[in-house]
Amino acid sequence: EISHGLVGSEMCIRDRTNVHASGGSSMMKAASEALKAKNSSMLLIGVTVLTSMDESDLVEIGVINPAGQQVENLAKLAQQSGLDGVVCSAKEAAMLRQSLGDNFKLITPGIRLSDSVADDQKRVVTPLDAIAFGSDYLVIGRPITQSSNPMATLNEINKSIAG
């Protein structure tokens, strides 16, 4: 994970747990209350729409909203239920940042370098674009783990963020 360009830093989210926002407000509120009861500082994050999904995938599972609208609906529900943030595509980050404020955390997978293969990811952006759109934390997996030189790839990512 990279947080604003800092690889392996304290700013990476280490103490967090995820729930599926599609589980509804009762489930999310229960998870939030359980963490509060334990006096936990752990961040509670709601997964919205996977970055490997697009509108055709949503229709297949019975969701008629476009991906962006579904993400926004689930993110608002997550915030109202006491969650600290959501996992979403960086393509929705600017919209969510505007509607949910600066304190609601946006964790964005599906990050690819401009010359990377998208693999199974359908809603991808570059690290620099993700930060510009308002992402707080970037999840960068396969471009690093499948690189023939992971450290060089990390350096390239940091350089692209630093400008």
Side-chain angles (χ1 to χ4, degrees), residues 20-31 33 77-78 80-83:
H20 285 274
S22 60
S25 62
S26 295
M27 181 269 304
M28 289 189 284
K29 286 177 185 176
E33 290 168 8
L77 188 62
Q80 292 164 2
S81 299
L83 274 64

Side-chain angles (χ1 to χ4, degrees), residues 136-157:
D136 292 299
Y137 298 94
L138 310 182
V139 180
I140 306 173
R142 283 175 273 186
I144 297 168
T145 62
Q146 293 181 358
S147 171
S148 60
N149 188 339
M151 188 53 72
T153 301
L154 284 172
N155 289 332
E156 183 181 343
I157 291 167

